Amino acid sequence: MSGDYDYLFKIIVIGDGAVGKTSLTVRFSQGYFKEDYKMTIGVDFAVKTVSVNTNNGLKTAKLQIWDTGGQERFSYIRPLYYRGAMGGLLVYDVTKRESFEHLENWLEEVGKHCPSIPMVMVGNKTDMPGRAVSLEEALEYAINHNMVYFETSAKEGTNVEAAFGDLTRILIDYT
Ligand code: G3D
Ligand code: MG
């Protein structure tokens, strides 16, 4: 039975190591934040079914969320990881400027493997002190690259559903 959903999407979560990709994925798919899981090696995915309001009413989508699981360091895995991806979250850490500056490289890589898939930009760890990127600067970057922008805390659960939910809505309405 394929049954209970209208859409099936493969979504990728990319960005530098330690920005919170796994935490966001786990928070969204399982609803908790784990302080001390081990960094996974290779590719992992989580599955979550969501209902979102679209231009055609309430629709249900099953998301297959591919977490990079340390592939930041293993470039040979990337083609497998990107294959068939339909949308993604582009994540940086608002307290780590370098991770913001590397967004360009990640976008370039996405462009190579899966050109023109919708990406939602995410500034994570808003619960932490010491911002290194202002909201204005982040928004400007997102607008210039045609992305919606969310600020999240995987730790507190802030905006995590909104970010994944909006990407799902964009995938249904605009692709
Ligand atoms: P990654 O998958 O992008 O490599 P992880 O990142 O999800 O493994 O997170 C890296 C570290 O940041 C982890 O801490 C994790 O607990 C922490 N983290 C992730 N998201 C948040 C957040 O929103 N707020 C805060 N305060 N911390 C977060 P450790 O200490 O295990 O390295
Ligand atoms: Mg990870």
Side-chain angles (χ1 to χ4, degrees):
M1 285 277 299
S2 60
D4 300 331
Y5 49 88
D6 304 306
Y7 300 91
L8 175 65
F9 296 125
K10 173 178 172 178
I11 284 173
I12 52 176
V13 184
I14 59 175
D16 280 8
V19 295
K21 299 180 300 297
T22 301
S23 301
L24 288 163
T25 303
V26 169
R27 162 67 78 183
F28 178 64
S29 59
Q30 295 165 37
Y32 66 86
F33 178 82
K34 213 165 150 190
E35 207 71 62
D36 60 344
Y37 51 79
K38 289 223 163 65
M39 197 212 266
T40 43
I41 306 292
V43 174
D44 263 329
F45 68 84
V47 170
K48 167 99 171 173
T49 301
V50 286
S51 293
V52 291
N53 271 310
T54 73
N55 292 339
N56 295 310
L58 195 66
K59 296 288 180 192
T60 302
K62 185 171 177 174
L63 307 180
Q64 201 184 68
I65 306 158
W66 288 53
D67 178 18
T68 48
Q71 69 81 238
E72 302 95 344
R73 293 169 301 132
F74 302 115
S75 60
Y76 62 90
I77 300 175
R78 286 182 191 165
L80 165 72
Y81 180 77
Y82 284 109
R83 188 180 306 141
M86 296 150 102
L89 292 191
L90 178 62
V91 187
Y92 78 100
D93 172 347
V94 296
T95 69
K96 220 171 146 209
R97 183 149 193 101
E98 208 184 21
S99 69
F100 176 71
E101 280 158 6
H102 290 162
L103 292 181
E104 202 65 31
N105 307 339
W106 287 108
L107 278 181
E108 197 178 306
E109 190 166 285
V110 172
K112 249 181 242 158
H113 292 278
C114 25
S116 73
I117 63 169
M119 299 295 296
V120 164
M121 178 173 150
V122 172
N124 187 43
K125 305 199 189 181
T126 52
D127 61 281
M128 285 182 69
R131 276 191 78 123
V133 180
S134 71
L135 175 60
E136 291 71 24
E137 193 179 1
L139 273 173
E140 189 184 354
Y141 186 86
I143 289 166
N144 285 338
H145 292 81
N146 203 23
M147 292 183 286
V148 177
Y149 179 58
F150 285 91
E151 299 214 321
T152 61
S153 164
K155 183 171 188 174
E156 295 179 341
T158 317
N159 258 349
V160 178
E161 291 201 16
F164 281 100
D166 210 51
L167 175 60
T168 308
R169 193 186 53 74
I170 291 167
L171 283 167
I172 293 172
D173 282 339
Y174 301 103
T175 58

